[in-house]
Amino acid sequence: MSFLGERANKDTLLEKKAKLKQDHLTARVPDDYSEQRLRDLREEAALHGHARGDGVHPEGAPFPKASPETGYYGIPMTKSPQWTWEVPLYLFVGGAAGAAAVIAEAARMTGSNHSSKLIRDARTVAVAGGLLTPVLLVADLGRPARF
């Protein structure tokens, strides 16, 4: 095949590609049926808060249906937690201790005579939490050398 023949063949391929691209970019003009269906779906969603229907599923397309048990393609949607019971308890006790310390300091700063019991109790909770959280952390990590 000569150079001119190869060039003509390339030009033909480029023209075909351009035509396919142009066809792909051409916007679809909605027909009356699809416009009416869209109006019906919008009305149903406005009345009930949702619209029924499965959407569009082209033939042969592998659209998976997910469920909470199986997820997509048999892979669970969420992973099981890696934490043991010590971690949530550690976070709760640490938060409670910090909040108790803030309450004790706020009560001390107000200087009310009636707040001495509140200050004492809040400080007790803060100290207890401060002593318990390291124990929970070490119990979760397994050995103190990890932190």
Side-chain angles (χ1 to χ4, degrees), residues 78-98:
T78 57
K79 293 182 179 180
S80 60
Q82 301 297 315
W83 292 350
T84 57
W85 62 271
E86 292 98 344
V87 175
L89 187 59
Y90 161 77
L91 293 171
F92 175 78
V93 170

Side-chain angles (χ1 to χ4, degrees), residues 5-84:
E6 286 179 21
R7 180 72 184 158
N9 196 13
K10 279 186 182 178
D11 288 344
T12 306
L13 287 174
L14 290 175
E15 288 170 7
K16 285 182 181 179
K17 268 188 173 179
K19 172 89 172 100
L20 284 173
K21 189 174 184 181
Q22 184 60 36
D23 290 346
H24 180 69
L25 294 177
T26 303
R28 180 176 93 68
V29 178
D31 57 3
D32 291 337
Y33 171 76
S34 63
E35 287 298 311
Q36 182 59 45
R37 184 166 186 271
L38 181 59
R39 282 192 292 275
D40 292 345
L41 287 171
R42 286 181 177 158
E43 184 178 328
E44 183 178 350
L47 290 174
H48 304 291
H50 66 280
R52 62 176 162 53
D54 292 336
V56 177
H57 296 285
E59 276 187 45
F63 289 108
K65 295 218 180 216
S67 71
E69 296 83 29
T70 62
Y72 290 100
Y73 306 107
I75 300 170
M77 294 180 85
T78 57
K79 293 182 179 180
S80 60
Q82 301 297 315
W83 292 350
T84 57

